[in-house]
Amino acid sequence: MNPDIVKERHNATFDVDRLTNIIDGGADRTKRRREIQSLVLNDPDFDYGNPNFLSRSDRYDQAVRKSAQMILKLREYGIADPKEIAWYKSMHWGTDREALGLHFVMFLPTLYSQCDPEQFKKWVPLAESFSVLGTYAQTEMGHGQFCVHRFSASPLDIHLAMFLPTLLNQSTPEQMDRYFTAAWELDIIGTYAQTEMGHGTHLRGLETTATFDPAMQEFVLHSPTISSIKWWPGGLGKTANHAIVLAQLHTQGKSHGLHAFIVPLRSMGTHKPLPGIVIGDIGPKFGFDAIDNGYLKLEHVRIPRDNMLMKYAQVKEDGSYVKPLSSKLTYGTMVFIRSMIVGNAALAISQACTIAIRYSAVRHQSEIRAGEPEPQILDYQTQQHKLFPLLATAYAFLFAGQYMIDTYNRISGDINQGDLTEMPELHALSAGLKAFTSWTANAGIEVCRMSCGGHGYSRCSALPDLYVEFTPNCTFEGENTVMMLQTARYLMKSYRQVQAGKQLTGAVSYLNRGQHGALQPQAVSSSSQVDLLHINTLVELYKCRAANLVELAARSIQQEYERGKSQEDSWNGSTIDLVRASDAHCHYMVLKMFRDKVDQVEDPGAHSVLSTLARLYAIHGIGNNAGDFLQAGVLSGEQVLAVSGHLKGLLAEVRPNAVLLVDAFDHHDKMLNSVLGRYDGNVYEHMFEWARGSPLNRTEVHESFHKHLKPLQSKL
C-alpha cells in the first residue's frame, strides 16, 4: 500500500463501511454484493486482457463473447435477483459496457413494476433465468429521440433494456405469447429503432411510414427520404434480427401519429438481411467501439397486421383506428431511461472522483514552502476546489437517482391501475433531471481528468473512456436543451394554474401564492442574521431562486406576446429564461432530495460527513449562480461575498475524509480499471506495466523502420 493512501485512511473521522451500507441500503446488502462480486474476481474465465489494445472488430467480438459467458455463469450460479445481477455484471464488465445491460436496467425492472399478477408469474421467471432477452428500435436516422440504444454498453443492451420492456408494456397477450418467449430465449434479438438521420428529439417529425393495406391485412413500412433512415440503434448493425420500429401510422387515408411495429430484419437461419431491408453498421463513434450502432432503410417492407403493438392503440381488420387512452403511454420506456440516467450520472461522477482523489493523494508536485518536500496535490486548495464539490455532487446525484427510480416505480404502478394524474410531473421531472445531471456529470468527468495532469490524458487512467462513454447521455433519450424546455412547459403550465387560483401539490408546490399574494412566501431574508450554513436555510434559498426564475420566464413570454408576437414566437423568444428556470427547479429538487436523505441517516459519523457534503453542494451552487439569488432578493451583496469564505471552510472540512468518501462508493479496482485510481495507491509501478503491454512493444524494432525509415538513411 502506498503510505500516503494509508495515512489518508487513518485520518478519517467516520466509519467507511457504515457509509457504504447507507449507499447500498443496509449492511446485509453490502455483504451480499461483495459475495456476488467475488464470484467474478475468483473466476479465471473472466480474464479477457486489456481491451484498449484491441481493434474495433475484436472489441465487438469480445463484447458478444463476454455477454454470452456471463449469461452462462449467472445460470450456473442461480443468480436471479435483478440487483444481484447488476452487481455481478458490474464486476464482470468493469468500466466496459456489456451486452445485457438493458436487460438488467430496464427489462427486469419494468417486469417487476408493471406486470399484472398473471404476467409476473409467467414472465419474471423467464427473465430471471435469461430465457428471454430484448432491445428497442424507435429512433430513425433523421428523426426521433436520441435514445440510449444508440450508445448502449454492448450489442445486446438495447435488446434487454428497450426491446423486451417495450414488448412487455405495449403487447397484447397474443403478441406476448408470440414474441416474448422467443426474445427471452434469444431466438429473437431485438433493437429499438426510433431516431432517424434527420430527426432526433422531435418525435412528431419522424418520417418513416407504416401504411395499412386492408386487402392483404399488412402494414407497408417505408423510408421515404434519405433523412428518414433509422440511425443509431445499438445492436442494429450486426447483432439484432428484429426491431421495434417507430413509424407514422396511416390507415383509411388518415395519419394517426407514431406507433410501434415489430419488424423482422434478418433471416433466423442465415442472419442475412430480409428483402427490402437495407441495414448495416454506422461506423466508429466517440467511444463505444464494441457496439454495432446501425442504420436501417425500409423499402416497402410488408409485415402482418398483428405486428403492430396493440395493447393501447389498435388497427382493426377493416382499417379503422382505435386510439389509446393517452398517447403518452407509449413513451414509458423513455421516461424510465431518463430516470436511470440520473443514477448513471452519479455512478460516472463517483468513478471519476474516486480516480482523481486517490491519485491526488499519492501525487506530489511543486512546493508550498521552499526547501520542504513536495506536498500531495490534494493539499492544494485549488485542487480541492476542483474535486470536492464534484464529490458532493456525486452523493447528491446518487440519492436523487434512488429517488427517481422509487418514484418511477410508484407512479408506474398507479398508471397501470388507470391513474394518470402524476404522469405529467414524472415526465417533467425525469426530463429535467436527466439533462441537469448529465450536463453536470459530463463536465465533471473532464474536470477530474484535467486535475490528474498529463497522466489523466492516458487511457490507463480510465478517465478518457469514462468521458466518451458517458457523453452520449447528454443527447440520447432527448437532447438536453430540449429536455429542459419540456420541463419548462410543465413549469409554465403550473404557474398559469396558480395564476388561476389553483393550489399545487408535489414538486411545484413552491409556486403557490402566499397570504399577501406573493409568488413565494419569504421563508428566508437577506438579513445578516440568516445562517447560510444551515441546510434547511439553503434549501429555502434554492426554492426561492427557482420560484423567482419561473416567474421571470413566464413574464418574458407574456411580454413577448404583448409586443404582438404569436404564442410560438413568444415561447421561442423566451427559451433562455425557460432553460434557466428549469435548471433552477432541478437544482432545488436535487438539494432537497440530498437534505431529506441526510435527515434519515442515524449513524453520527456518516450523518456529519454527509451534512458537510450537502452544505458544500449548496454553497458551491450559490457561488456559481450568485446573480440569481441576488435577483430573487434572498441574499444581500454582503452575504454573497461571505459565500467564498464558507466554501473554503467546507473544503477544509472535507479534506481529512476525502479518500474515505470515495472509498465508500466501493468501486473495486476491476470495475474502475484505472491505474491512477488503484485502491493501494501504487500508481507508477502499474503505469509502467500497463505501457509495456502495448502491442507496439512486442518487438524491439517495428517493421515500419525497415520499410519506411531505413531507406531514408542513405549513409547508414
Side-chain angles (χ1 to χ4, degrees):
M1 295 286 288
N2 182 290
D4 289 316
I5 282 285
V6 173
K7 179 187 70 175
E8 294 292 333
R9 293 182 175 126
H10 178 73
N11 292 335
T13 64
F14 69 98
D15 187 323
V16 66
D17 285 331
R18 291 187 179 181
L19 183 52
T20 300
N21 297 159
I22 292 169
I23 294 172
D24 284 335
D28 290 342
R29 292 177 68 83
T30 298
K31 179 181 178 182
R32 179 58 177 164
R33 173 176 57 78
R34 289 172 175 171
E35 289 173 351
I36 294 293
Q37 292 174 343
S38 69
L39 295 175
V40 177
L41 293 174
N42 299 323
D43 193 333
D45 289 342
F46 290 144
D47 184 8
Y48 293 99
N50 192 333
N52 288 297
F53 301 136
L54 297 177
S55 68
R56 181 164 181 249
S57 179
D58 288 340
R59 293 190 75 166
Y60 169 73
D61 180 79
Q62 184 184 87
V64 175
R65 179 164 57 94
K66 289 173 74 174
S67 295
Q69 181 79 358
M70 186 177 65
I71 291 173
L72 293 174
K73 291 289 184 177
L74 287 168
R75 287 174 174 172
E76 176 185 342
Y77 295 136
I79 298 172
D81 179 82
K83 190 66 176 178
E84 293 187 359
I85 292 171
W87 293 333
Y88 187 87
K89 76 181 184 68
S90 70
M91 292 304 299
H92 176 56
W93 285 93
T95 54
D96 279 345
R97 302 298 185 262
E98 76 294 338
L100 297 182
L102 293 184
H103 177 83
F104 305 125
V105 302
M106 292 191 69
F107 184 72
L108 277 170
T110 305
L111 282 176
Y112 280 102
S113 64
Q114 299 191 25
C115 281
D116 61 33
E118 291 186 4
Q119 290 174 323
F120 190 95
K121 182 178 180 180
K122 178 177 182 180
W123 296 114
V124 168
L126 292 172
E128 291 179 340
S129 63
F130 299 98
S131 299
V132 177
L133 300 171
T135 188
Y136 187 77
Q138 168 178 295
T139 306
E140 301 169 351
M141 183 190 291
H143 296 73
Q145 200 70 23
F146 188 35
C147 292
V148 66
H149 62 273
R150 297 190 288 176
F151 289 101
S152 52
S154 82
L156 294 182
D157 270 2
I158 299 303
H159 176 82
L160 300 168
M162 299 191 76
F163 186 79
L164 283 172
T166 304
L167 284 179
L168 182 70
N169 291 336
Q170 299 187 35
S171 293
T172 65
E174 293 78 15
Q175 290 172 327
M176 288 287 288
D177 288 339
R178 180 179 176 187
Y179 292 109
F180 197 87
T181 300
W184 192 259
E185 293 175 347
L186 286 179
D187 293 328
I188 289 176
I189 300 175
T191 187
Y192 187 80
Q194 173 181 293
T195 303
E196 299 172 350
M197 185 184 289
H199 289 78
T201 305
H202 182 52
L203 297 181
R204 287 185 302 237
L206 295 178
E207 299 177 83
T208 301
T209 58
T211 305
F212 184 61
D213 178 0
M216 300 297 293
Q217 292 292 294
E218 293 176 334
F219 288 101
V220 181
L221 279 90
H222 184 58
S223 305
T225 65
I226 186 68
S227 59
S228 69
I229 296 174
K230 297 293 184 182
W231 202 263
W232 287 116
L236 177 63
K238 293 296 178 183
T239 307
N241 54 32
H242 282 69
I244 292 174
V245 175
L246 268 287
Q248 302 287 353
L249 170 63
H250 295 273
T251 181
Q252 295 183 337
K254 296 180 180 180
S255 175
H256 297 283
L258 285 180
H259 290 73
F261 301 85
I262 301 174
V263 181
L265 304 175
R266 292 178 168 98
S267 167
M268 299 292 281
T270 66
H271 206 60
K272 290 184 177 180
L274 295 170
I277 300 292
V278 181
I279 194 170
D281 178 80
I282 65 170
K285 307 167 291 292
F286 188 51
F288 284 86
D289 290 337
I291 309 304
D292 55 328
N293 299 94
Y295 61 79
L296 172 63
K297 186 174 186 288
L298 298 158
E299 297 180 337
H300 302 286
V301 175
R302 288 180 171 268
I303 60 173
R305 182 180 67 88
D306 58 8
N307 275 33
M308 172 182 165
L309 295 180
M310 295 195 193
K311 180 177 181 179
Y312 300 116
Q314 299 177 18
V315 172
K316 300 293 187 181
E317 293 182 2
D318 63 356
S320 58
Y321 176 72
V322 180
K323 66 180 182 180
L325 179 64
S326 170
S327 61
K328 296 185 183 296
L329 289 171
T330 59
Y331 301 140
T333 303
M334 288 187 295
V335 172
F336 181 74
I337 286 289
R338 291 170 188 168
S339 300
M340 288 295 300
I341 289 172
V342 179
N344 291 345
L347 175 64
I349 298 183
S350 69
Q351 290 176 335
C353 285
T354 299
I355 295 167
I357 288 175
R358 284 178 178 170
Y359 176 65
S360 297
V362 301
R363 177 75 172 186
H364 292 250
Q365 190 159 304
S366 301
E367 55 186 23
I368 295 178
R369 298 178 183 85
E372 292 188 1
E374 293 180 298
Q376 299 163 278
I377 59 174
L378 198 57
D379 285 334
Y380 288 102
Q381 190 181 72
T382 51
Q383 189 78 343
Q384 297 170 13
H385 189 230
K386 293 174 187 176
L387 297 178
F388 292 174
L390 287 174
L391 176 60
T393 300
Y395 275 91
F397 287 2
L398 174 68
F399 300 136
Q402 293 172 355
Y403 173 89
M404 281 304 302
I405 294 303
D406 291 344
T407 301
Y408 172 84
N409 289 333
R410 177 180 59 79
I411 295 178
S412 293
D414 294 339
I415 291 172
N416 284 339
Q417 299 300 319
D419 181 0
L420 308 181
T421 54
E422 292 192 79
M423 183 187 293
E425 180 172 319
L426 174 63
H427 177 267
L429 188 59
S430 65
L433 287 182
K434 179 267 178 187
F436 181 78
T437 58
S438 61
W439 263 333
T440 304
N442 186 59
I445 295 167
E446 178 64 359
V447 169
C448 288
R449 188 193 68 78
M450 294 179 70
S451 74
C452 292
H455 292 322
Y457 186 70
S458 171
R459 289 180 71 174
C460 77
S461 72
L463 289 167
D465 286 338
L466 184 59
Y467 180 81
V468 299
E469 290 183 4
F470 184 80
T471 293
N473 285 269
C474 295
T475 42
F476 65 56
E477 290 308 318
E479 191 277 329
N480 278 354
T481 301
V482 178
M483 292 296 95
M484 281 297 194
L485 291 173
Q486 287 188 11
T487 301
R489 288 193 183 277
Y490 179 73
L491 294 174
M492 292 302 101
K493 180 180 179 180
S494 300
Y495 179 83
R496 290 193 298 270
Q497 289 174 334
V498 169
Q499 292 286 89
K502 181 178 179 179
Q503 284 290 108
L504 302 177
T505 59
V508 290
S509 60
Y510 63 84
L511 295 176
N512 291 327
R513 292 189 173 273
Q515 294 179 351
H516 303 292
L519 176 65
Q520 171 61 31
Q522 289 294 308
V524 295
S525 72
S526 56
S527 166
S528 60
Q529 276 72 41
V530 173
D531 183 0
L532 289 181
L533 287 179
H534 194 288
I535 188 61
N536 290 335
T537 300
L538 292 167
V539 171
E540 291 300 315
L541 288 171
Y542 274 78
K543 180 194 294 184
C544 293
R545 172 201 177 207
N548 185 63
L549 288 177
V550 168
E551 184 167 46
L552 289 176
R555 288 179 181 175
S556 175
I557 294 173
Q558 183 62 29
Q559 289 167 357
E560 293 289 309
Y561 185 69
E562 291 173 354
R563 294 189 184 105
K565 293 185 179 181
S566 66
Q567 289 283 1
E568 294 80 7
D569 288 340
S570 297
W571 176 272
N572 188 48
S574 305
T575 49
I576 294 174
D577 304 288
L578 290 163
V579 170
R580 287 181 62 208
S582 292
D583 182 86
H585 172 74
C586 293
H587 210 159
Y588 158 65
M589 290 298 297
V590 170
L591 179 60
K592 180 178 180 297
M593 294 170 194
F594 200 171
R595 188 271 312 272
D596 292 346
K597 181 66 177 183
V598 172
D599 287 346
Q600 298 170 14
V601 175
E602 297 179 356
D603 179 79
H607 183 278
S608 176
V609 73
L610 286 176
S611 178
T612 299
L613 289 177
R615 289 182 287 128
L616 174 58
Y617 178 74
I619 288 291
H620 183 258
I622 291 176
N624 288 343
N625 301 279
D628 292 346
F629 294 91
L630 287 169
Q631 186 180 50
V634 294
L635 286 182
S636 66
E638 181 182 356
Q639 287 170 320
V640 168
L641 290 174
V643 165
S644 177
H646 292 318
L647 177 66
K648 294 174 184 177
L650 290 167
L651 295 178
E653 281 188 46
V654 172
R655 173 63 186 89
N657 293 307
V659 170
L660 264 291
L661 282 167
V662 297
D663 284 354
F665 294 129
D666 212 21
H667 296 314
H668 194 278
D669 283 350
K670 183 177 179 64
M671 183 169 65
L672 282 178
N673 196 27
S674 171
V675 172
L676 301 190
R678 293 178 57 87
Y679 183 83
D680 62 13
N682 294 324
V683 171
Y684 302 123
E685 303 90 332
H686 290 90
M687 188 182 298
F688 184 52
E689 179 184 340
W690 189 92
R692 295 188 70 181
S694 169
L696 286 177
N697 295 323
R698 290 174 184 167
T699 59
E700 290 292 334
V701 180
H702 194 268
E703 60 183 356
S704 62
F705 172 78
H706 297 287
K707 291 193 298 183
H708 305 300
L709 297 180
K710 191 172 183 178
L712 300 177
Q713 301 172 335
S714 58
K715 296 181 180 181
L716 296 180

